[in-house]
Amino acid sequence: NITDIRGLRNLTTASKIFLDDNDNMLYPSATSAFCQNRVFDNMYINNNGNWEVIEPLNSNIYSDVYRACNYEDEFDYWAYYLNQKGCFTGSFITEADSINCSNKQLNKNDTYYPSEPIKLSSISGIDFSNNFFSDTLFLNNITTVNGDLHLDSNILDKLNGMNNITNITGNLYLDDNQITDLSALSNLESVNNIYIDNEDVKDQPSSNSSFCTNNIYDKILIKDVNGNWTRANPTNSTLFVTLYTACGN
């Protein structure tokens, strides 16, 4: 029942270290060889009879030792969550990845739903359509999407979390939601097209925003009476008129 491993402070390497998963254990200091050489990466705990490398979701040790050694938590919670949902493989999401998790019942009430945003600033594309997202806080770190961003067919009423997105090289799909607030698109400088329902919104980007100065409202497509996508304009779209006016035109 070991609760103090400070005696390992001078350890520089170890193939595996097997430990009990004791909370509030005492660890070597951040300046120790143990921490500087990341020996803790090879720590294993017994999980229902199976020895597993420590992770935040299977161990008390993980967060404690990272804190003691003064390292940021490097675990990719979104990669793990989407892996559990069967729509992503790998331990880390990279900028080269295009995530396709349409219709996977993604929901904030899920056990492993991450409390933090995706750790990247750029990604090659995301398809989160046909799920149960009520916000877009998971996009809080993203500035560039090098492809399409599908958020259609969710339960969004605002886009909080998209404030930092400046460029989308593909299309932005927002249709089949209940969006009444588009102010989070204020910093958007470029996008191919925006697919959205033709509904009025209460909150819009300001007239001096990138959205307005780059005339992003001209990128909007809505469905006509026959259900076909068409370019929004002052004669067919109340949404277009609202945004056009908010932009000082």
Side-chain angles (χ1 to χ4, degrees), residues 56-179:
L57 301 176
N58 71 357
S59 167
N60 294 309
I61 292 176
Y62 181 92
S63 58
D64 290 344
V65 71
Y66 264 75
R67 190 180 306 111
C69 288
N70 199 27
Y71 281 93
E72 290 187 10
D73 184 356
E74 299 169 344
F75 190 79
D76 193 327
Y77 293 88
W78 274 96
Y80 184 87
Y81 172 62
L82 299 180
N83 186 286
Q84 295 297 305
K85 286 293 188 175
C87 57
F88 184 78
T89 58
S91 299
F92 294 93
I93 300 172
T94 71
E95 293 184 354
D97 287 320
S98 182
I99 302 171
N100 185 356
C101 289
S102 176
N103 197 26
K104 290 295 183 179
Q105 306 291 307
L106 306 184
N107 193 313
K108 289 185 73 172
N109 294 324
D110 287 337
T111 301
Y112 295 118
Y113 189 91
S115 60
E116 61 177 42
I118 296 170
K119 294 185 176 182
L120 302 173
S121 61
S122 174
I123 195 165
S124 291
I126 297 176
D127 188 349
F128 279 170
S129 60
N130 292 287
N131 286 293
F132 297 97
F133 287 105
S134 57
D135 64 56
T136 57
L137 293 174
F138 56 89
L139 294 172
N140 210 33
N141 292 327
I142 301 292
T143 61
T144 301
V145 180
N146 291 308
D148 293 333
L149 177 54
H150 284 267
L151 299 172
D152 44 309
S153 300
N154 280 281
I155 52 174
L156 299 170
D157 62 355
K158 53 185 175 294
L159 303 174
N160 53 334
M162 294 183 66
N163 307 71
N164 294 319
I165 295 180
T166 57
N167 298 287
I168 301 174
T169 64
N171 297 316
L172 172 59
Y173 295 87
L174 298 173
D175 53 298
D176 196 18
N177 284 288
Q178 301 93 41
I179 299 171

Side-chain angles (χ1 to χ4, degrees), residues 13 40 96 153 158-159 209 213 247:
T13 183
F40 55 83
S153 300
K158 53 185 175 294
L159 303 174
S209 66
T213 57
C247 287

Side-chain angles (χ1 to χ4, degrees), residues 9-37:
R9 64 177 63 88
N10 294 318
L11 190 63
T12 59
T13 183
S15 177
K16 292 181 180 180
I17 301 174
F18 298 94
L19 288 169
D20 295 321
D21 187 27
N22 291 326
D23 201 5
N24 299 315
M25 193 181 297
L26 297 176
Y27 297 92
S29 67
T31 57
S32 67
F34 176 91
C35 288
Q36 294 295 307
N37 290 281

